[in-house]
Amino acid sequence: MTTFTATPSDGAAWVTGASSGIGRALALDLAGEGFTVYATARSEDELAELAGESTGLKGRIVAAPGDVTDMDAMAAIAARIDADGNGLALAVFNAGVYLPVHGETLKVSDFDKTFAVNLSGVVRGLVPSIDLMKARGRGQIAIVSSVTGYGGMPTSAAYGATKAALINMAESLKFDLDKFGVRIQVINPGFVDTPATADNAFEMPALIQPEEAAKRIAQGLKSGSFEITFPRRFTYVLKALQFLPYPAYFWLMNAATGWKKRPLETG
């Protein structure tokens, strides 16, 4: 079966987590290509401002506010997009939160919120989107994960767990989605300068700006690759580390982040 790559003539695009960071920049890039982009986040004001910025582009951005943890809201947005023009052709599930987790000050609430947004929040948009695309026999879905899904890193016990799950989810779904013409990809960026990474307590090598990340994603959506990852000089190194025995892996992570020398959190 020919790999489907969505174009503006095929229908609309949907980007979640579109009020800031990668999602915001990607929505503008896709609108620049000519897509009608439905932008979802909780902030109506920020989405209205984003929609205004699309004036003059080949396409347009339509504010579609909603909470990704609300199953009914996500289904309603998917149905709204499907009723517009040629329907939903491309969905990029990007919404996510990063709550640093320290082993000495664990909070169940940090895990619950992270899982609700990063994992369940993707599923709540993914399921109705696949149903609509399956009915048409074509569609393209991209799930934004992270290189933290490759292996454990300091403070990422909750965040990294969700990203590892998203990688596995995309890999598993591909076997069936290929059969009915729905293409799925996973996006594993390195460190991007967004509100989610602003409070990281360690050095972030190869840090890039959201606009650069969005351009890399837009290019990757047109490629034949299952995984979109960048910058490769950094992400491929992290992927290769998974082949090391655990003692070497933990030694290198501690050396790279200086984590072993950091004092314990006290509150």
Side-chain angles (χ1 to χ4, degrees):
M1 181 176 290
T2 303
T3 300
F4 176 77
T5 300
T7 66
S9 63
D10 295 314
W14 184 16
V15 178
T16 67
S19 62
S20 65
I22 294 173
R24 191 179 195 282
L26 180 61
L28 288 168
D29 265 23
L30 292 175
E33 293 180 12
F35 278 100
T36 293
V37 182
Y38 285 81
T40 292
R42 289 180 298 174
S43 174
E44 295 186 32
D45 291 343
E46 290 179 345
L47 291 179
E49 181 181 338
L50 175 61
E53 288 189 34
S54 69
T55 302
L57 298 178
K58 288 176 63 178
R60 63 189 179 116
I61 295 175
V62 179
D67 186 334
V68 296
T69 67
D70 185 332
M71 182 168 58
D72 292 337
M74 291 300 99
I77 292 172
R80 172 188 173 189
I81 300 170
D82 192 59
D84 180 16
N86 294 330
L88 177 61
L90 170 65
V92 182
F93 298 110
N94 165 73
V97 296
Y98 170 66
L99 300 176
V101 170
H102 296 268
E104 64 274 25
T105 56
L106 292 176
K107 299 175 185 176
V108 171
S109 59
D110 288 344
F111 286 87
D112 285 347
K113 182 176 181 180
T114 303
F115 293 170
V117 176
N118 295 6
L119 187 53
S120 296
V122 169
V123 172
R124 279 156 172 67
L126 182 72
V127 171
S129 297
I130 289 175
D131 286 344
L132 294 169
M133 292 174 177
K134 182 172 63 174
R136 285 193 169 84
R138 60 174 173 79
Q140 185 175 1
I141 288 169
I143 295 174
V144 178
S145 180
S146 166
V147 292
T148 58
Y150 293 161
M153 297 183 188
T155 76
S156 69
Y159 182 81
T162 63
K163 296 306 184 178
L166 291 176
I167 294 171
N168 189 288
M169 180 190 300
E171 292 171 348
S172 299
L173 287 172
K174 187 179 188 307
F175 293 103
D176 289 329
L177 299 190
D178 280 352
K179 296 178 183 179
F180 46 82
V182 176
R183 181 183 180 193
I184 190 167
Q185 293 170 285
V186 65
I187 302 167
N188 292 323
F191 292 115
V192 181
D193 188 9
T194 68
T197 61
D199 295 328
N200 275 353
F202 53 87
E203 184 179 349
M204 294 178 285
L207 182 71
I208 64 173
Q209 295 302 307
E211 294 75 17
E212 176 63 21
K215 286 182 172 55
R216 301 284 189 97
I217 292 171
Q219 292 168 357
L221 292 173
K222 300 182 189 70
S223 74
S225 300
F226 168 73
E227 182 187 32
I228 302 169
T229 184
F230 54 87
R232 292 183 180 181
R233 67 184 186 279
F234 173 63
T235 64
Y236 276 19
V237 170
L238 287 181
K239 183 174 284 195
L241 291 181
Q242 302 313 304
F243 294 99
L244 293 175
Y246 275 124
Y249 176 80
F250 290 125
W251 184 88
L252 279 170
M253 276 293 169
N254 273 310
T257 63
W259 202 256
K260 198 166 187 177
K261 299 178 181 178
R262 290 185 63 84
L264 294 173
E265 295 286 318
T266 58

